[in-house]
Amino acid sequence: MNSILSLTRYVWHSHMIRKGIIGLIMTALIPAIFTVGEMYFNKEIYLQSSTECLRFLRESVIPINIYITLPFLVMSLTLPAISKLYEKGAITYFFTQPAPRWQIILGLYFGSIVCLIPLLALSSLAPSLIIIFQSGVQYDLNELISLSLKQLFVLSVSALPYAALCSFLAIWSKKPLIWATFLLFIWGSIIGSLPGGAKFLSIHNYII
């Protein structure tokens, strides 16, 4: 158990307390940036109706988070957490410790999930806050907060199998980025969202 906690802290410090956090935060803010642009260029629509704002969240912001933000953040956190250890040869040190190998992999996996949660919270809540302060329309805050929290829950649950898949690819393949891009973006987000039988072969179809 100590090895799991130690590796979880290692992943947190290596990703969230370094310059790389800026890139992760900018990725998490993609839906918020898109929301600012939408509110600016179509403000006459959103200044008149809270229904339109909620529809924008459901039909635009949530799909952006599901199809783009989620897989990109999972890849950016999970793959480096393991593959960099292989590149530096540090994984050999961990594997020579008394802890079982499954604890080492599980610690790296948990570390990625712990890093993902605040970033997913940012990507889920920031667009709603922008709508509240920029549109000037009176909202049912309970409905807006409920929608944002439901989105965060879906993203967080969906991150679990995505991160597990990326962890497997980082261990199994010497080119995990290529495999992850294909499985999460091409096969997952694109093919998994199309009508027809092919979507049933995509992990995306079962977790979203």
Side-chain angles (χ1 to χ4, degrees):
M1 186 61 66
N2 288 335
S3 59
I4 295 177
L5 294 176
S6 297
L7 285 166
T8 300
R9 287 194 295 267
Y10 161 78
V11 175
W12 173 269
H13 284 282
S14 63
H15 286 293
M16 307 298 281
I17 316 203
R18 291 189 180 179
K19 292 182 179 179
I21 185 62
I22 297 175
L24 295 172
I25 291 175
M26 293 305 299
T27 301
L29 286 175
I30 288 175
I33 295 171
F34 180 74
T35 301
V36 171
E38 180 69 16
M39 290 289 151
Y40 178 79
F41 290 107
N42 298 294
K43 57 185 177 182
E44 65 280 355
I45 298 175
Y46 300 107
L47 284 174
Q48 299 174 359
S49 172
S50 61
T51 303
E52 288 298 318
C53 294
L54 291 171
R55 185 177 65 83
F56 168 73
L57 280 176
R58 292 189 182 97
E59 298 181 4
S60 298
V61 173
I62 292 178
I64 288 174
N65 270 328
I66 291 174
Y67 294 115
I68 299 175
T69 310
L70 173 63
F72 193 85
L73 285 175
V74 172
M75 288 171 53
S76 300
L77 284 166
T78 310
L79 294 179
I82 298 176
S83 59
K84 283 185 177 180
L85 294 179
Y86 277 97
E87 292 174 3
K88 297 178 180 179
I91 196 69
T92 305
Y93 167 77
F94 288 115
F95 283 159
T96 56
Q97 299 304 302
R101 291 193 176 191
W102 67 266
Q103 289 188 4
I104 296 171
I105 302 302
L106 196 61
L108 296 172
Y109 172 77
F110 282 163
S112 300
I113 297 299
V114 169
C115 294
L116 274 168
I117 299 301
L119 294 170
L120 293 176
L122 180 62
S123 67
S124 301
L125 299 175
S128 298
L129 294 175
I130 290 171
I131 287 175
I132 291 173
F133 292 109
Q134 191 168 347
S135 66
V137 179
Q138 294 295 323
Y139 291 94
D140 181 352
L141 289 180
N142 289 332
E143 182 179 4
L144 194 62
I145 292 173
S146 175
L147 179 61
S148 299
L149 292 178
K150 287 177 182 178
Q151 179 187 184
L152 174 59
F153 175 76
V154 171
L155 291 175
S156 299
V157 172
S158 302
L160 298 176
Y162 273 2
L165 177 61
C166 286
S167 297
F168 168 76
L169 294 174
I171 297 170
W172 170 72
S173 175
K174 292 183 178 179
K175 297 181 179 179
L177 181 59
I178 296 175
W179 279 103
T181 301
F182 173 76
L183 291 173
L184 297 191
F185 280 104
I186 300 176
W187 193 260
S189 296
I190 298 176
I191 297 179
S193 62
L194 296 176
K199 69 179 182 179
F200 295 107
L201 300 176
S202 167
I203 186 176
H204 184 89
N205 180 67
Y206 297 97
I207 65 175
I208 302 300

